[in-house]
Amino acid sequence: MYRTTIEKVDPAEESEQLRDFEDRIARGEKIEPGDWMPGEYRRQLLRMISQHAHSEIVGMLPEGAWITRAPSLRRKLILLAKVQDEAGHGQYLYHAAETLGASREEMLEALLDGRAKYSSIFNYPTLTWADVGVIGYLVDFAAILNQTMLARCSYGPYARAMVRICAEENFHKKQGQDIVIRLATGTPRQKAMVQDAINRWWWPTLMMFGPHDSDSPNTPILVRWGIKTRTNDELRQTFIDQIVPELHTLGLSLPDPALVYAEATGHWLTGEINWEEFWRVVKGNGPCNRERMEARRTAHADGAWVREALAAYARLQANGK
Amino acid sequence: MSDTQLPRYQVFLQEKPGLPHQDVGSVHAPDPEMALLNARDVFVRRPECAGLWVVPAEAIFSRTRQELEASPEFQPDESMGAGPPSSRAEKETYYVTCKPKPAGTQTLIGEVQAASPVEALKQALEQFSSTPAPFTWWVFPARLVSSSDPAEADSLFDPALDKPFRLSTDFNTLTRMRQIKDSSQ
């Protein structure tokens, strides 16, 4: 039902189409499957949406590891519901990418054979129960800021997927914040445990927003075509300015001796992010990259019999009746 | 990897009885029955839902406003089978959805009687056009819609009601943060 072929046209006509396309975005119209779009717009969206989908799928693993060890039945139900949501978000996003002409099978293949990227945050280990709280509170909050922006993006199917996701992510953040509040106001051991989790997740969370604007070659075209409306550094600063005072209120500190409040601008300024670590993890050499990919491949292989059974049943239905 | 991708079904969700069905996305499934179950799992983890439709994606004939302006005398898509062909060429019911606003989503607005997807869309354009013109139109034969059984609505959709913790309103973190802040001052 979706036609996404990009016809070859002469440059004069193309520039007219491009002008119409940019006018529509300026007017706040959404681009829908079937509408004309520049090849580069489609390429950038496919890259972003498929990476985003993969991140939701791989993102189930670090927290999934704590479902069996949740400290109460209520926490276990909440964590199960959250991990289920991540699976659902992956499905919404694969669908959005399909409207651009990618098949779900080829996207999954790219993930399983290691060609596709996903958010580097999920290549860090979850060592204690406090990590589940900190992921919800910090990592999901960082994700919400990015996704709230994308819910206004110019491509209709991506924007609609984001609207659904944002509504559900608020639960993810709040359940995490709830855990962090409990631990931060708990026994000295609980407090030490949550401080340790903050220390380990703080810098990887700041890296989630991506390289500095000056090192982000895709940003100008993404902003021009209304895919992004805010830059990596702007989103990162919004995150820092909101979360730092909250963590201080809870009596928690941040692992950054250079962290300072700039009275003049009203912003919290951090020390420099370790970009070497960022690129090392992106390129596949983080603490858990291999473990995550192995878990995905095993899950896919273990599910083969279900897919075969479904196909056999569908064949019987088609032939038998 | 030797997987075969399963067919894609577009999913339409009705939030409450009496409200129109709206497009929410798609699922892959070997048959309509599994498509409905997958759609429930993917799109109804929370209230509100009163009913689901699944429609084979290739049966949906779609045109955007831009496409209609570019070629008002549209032709059927070559790739589009409209499901099992209706060789009788008799008129049948087609559902019509459109997206009237720049943002927003495909929403059911009515039905027409037509012998082909092209005829259905032509009729829809005559009967349901508004000013400004909708941004997108979809038509599909009613016979290819698989609908959730209203008698099973309890078992399909009510479990979402028992899990208030799935909603962010179930957590009083704002109040707790305020209390902690006040007590430390």
Side-chain angles (χ1 to χ4, degrees), chain A residues 114-179:
Chain A
R115 272 176 294 139
K117 291 200 169 65
Y118 55 86
S119 180
S120 56
I121 193 82
F122 301 119
N123 289 315
Y124 290 85
T126 40
L127 303 180
T128 69
W129 172 251
D131 290 30
V132 174
V134 170
I135 289 177
Y137 190 12
L138 267 59
V139 173
D140 288 316
F141 177 39
I144 288 170
L145 288 175
N146 191 39
Q147 289 165 346
T148 306
M149 169 188 77
L150 292 170
R152 293 188 295 267
C153 91
S154 60
Y155 187 58
Y158 196 21
R160 288 190 288 273
M162 280 302 134
V163 169
R164 298 187 75 82
I165 288 177
C166 285
E168 304 185 354
E169 287 282 349
N170 275 326
F171 145 61
H172 297 183
K173 181 201 168 191
K174 283 206 172 176
Q175 63 82 37
Q177 187 177 11
D178 192 56
I179 293 173

Side-chain angles (χ1 to χ4, degrees), chain B residues 72-88:
Chain B
E73 287 303 312
F74 47 84
Q75 295 297 316
D77 299 345
E78 282 172 21
S79 63
M80 218 194 61
S86 130
S87 53
R88 354 166 225 173

